[in-house]
Amino acid sequence: MVKAGVCLTFAVCLAGLTYVGVTWEDPNRALIAGVFGAGLAGGALIALLPLERILRNPVVSDVFFVGWSVFDIVLIAVAVAADGGAQSPFTLLFLLPMVYAAAFYPLPTFIPVAATNVLTFLFVGDVYGDPDLTYVAFVAACLAFAAVLCAWQAQNHDRARDRLMRMSRTDPLTESLNRRGFEERLRAELDNASRSGGSVALVLLDLDNFKAVNDLHGHEAGDELLCWVVEGLQRSVRTMDTVGRLGGDEFAVLAPGLTQSGADGLGERIKGVLAERISVTTGIACYPADGLDPDELHRRADSHLYEQKHGLPARFAAGRRELSWAATLARAVDVRMASPTEHSATVARYAAGIAQRLGWGGADLAYLRVAAMLHDVGKVSLPDEILRKPGPLDEGEYEEVKTHPVIGAEFVRRVDGLSLIALWVKHSHEHYDGSGYPDSLAGEQIPLASRILLVADAFDAMTSDRPYRSALPHEEALAELRLNTGRQFDPRCVAAFEEFMAGAEQITAEHAVR
């Protein structure tokens, strides 16, 4: 929108300067040329402004666009006045700010631009030159009629944008929020809770054996059941709660103000209502007890859900206590590495994003998140002088670092039921071309989970401040991944990670603009 306005400004000013040159013998040509020169300078200045920062704030962006349009209207008015008043061909330029505003501005922003445009023409037409009041009134009326049509079009654009916004955030089948809409609502509720000191409960729901419904009765029956589930959820929750469909047979409920006990009660109430036709498994996480950001809450709720659905507590002697011990150990490693962020948690988020784009789900995805949390636990055996060394490691120190995946795998293997994860951790530093460690595996010999972890770990390491170097910008880190694709990294994993990052950045930018 801004680029279009700048290009239009340049084109109009160049056309105006050409006309001034052809009619140079007429009065006030130097002044009019200065007006169009000011227009060119204004367009260039706007192109150089920090537009992303301006557009991020709706109030500031509205003021910016109205101010830009008024600036153009004033320049047009000066050109018209200097060229003899309402009879000047420059009068036609008064149409352009209204057409541009109708094409791009919301109606509340368009109205002051249109009103300023018509009133400015009336002032210039009545005061400058030899005004013919009948002519001025007729042109002003035409401008007013054009303003009405433009306002109608601006309103149509507003309605279309609203429909598109609702469609982009609503599941078309169940008419509940989709993943994007639910995530935006979750972020908003967490912001409110952080300011007020309140709590928020996230309840994830997975329909048990839903695939059998589609297989036995057809997809039409499955779709009908999904719609019935949403209706049941709406009956089970409070008015202030939010229901979303995250995908397939996965749903979520956002309940502001609920703590763990209240969320447990809500989960049981939902199970009771839906038990009429289908059983569900729930996973619960509460802000701030289980996490402070959406990713961490989702991770905790996912972990709880898969513990319930796949019988993980029976294999983990102490259930969540085992995983809490592992997560605490991972955080301890992050602190020892002097990382300013939660490296292990970030790697888990990146790894899950890659895996989902490679078709992973269910228990495999849950296990991968645990493996990502634990991939560096073997570094607890390394001395601080190696972990925090500000310069390159010597050969002996590097050989000692290469032992940490084996040590970490042994730690993980001691937790009942995590033998598969232990294997992923052990090979999380193998390179696609066989140059990694500890066993110099190559290509498909390396577990896919380990290849995923390597990409996620490398990207977060490159984009975080470390004792031996500053963080790289995301684009440079992505370029480094591409450069080493096929050598250090699995090409499929790098491509999936780029797709994940592109989607995450788009959502963030849209949310920031709104």
Side-chain angles (χ1 to χ4, degrees), residues 378 401-413 422 425-427 437-439:
V401 166
K402 288 165 65 175
T403 65
H404 88 265
V406 177
I407 296 171
E410 185 57 32
F411 285 161
V412 175
R413 189 175 288 110
V425 169
K426 179 181 179 181
H427 296 299
Y437 57 87
D439 294 332

Side-chain angles (χ1 to χ4, degrees), residues 43 101 120 167 170 255 326 391 407 443 498:
T120 301
M167 290 172 60
T170 303
I407 296 171
E498 289 195 81

Side-chain angles (χ1 to χ4, degrees), residues 312-351:
L312 293 182
R315 297 202 298 272
F316 297 127
R320 291 197 204 184
R321 290 193 298 274
E322 294 284 1
L323 298 181
S324 297
W325 164 82
T328 301
L329 184 56
R331 292 191 187 98
V333 174
D334 292 342
V335 172
R336 286 196 61 206
M337 292 172 64
S339 174
T341 59
E342 289 193 357
H343 171 66
S344 299
T346 304
V347 171
R349 178 164 61 89
Y350 290 158

Side-chain angles (χ1 to χ4, degrees), residues 152-168:
W152 181 38
Q153 185 64 16
Q155 186 179 51
N156 288 339
H157 287 169
D158 287 350
R159 291 170 177 169
R161 279 191 291 264
D162 289 341
R163 285 196 299 270
L164 288 173
M165 185 172 292
R166 285 195 299 272
M167 290 172 60
S168 70

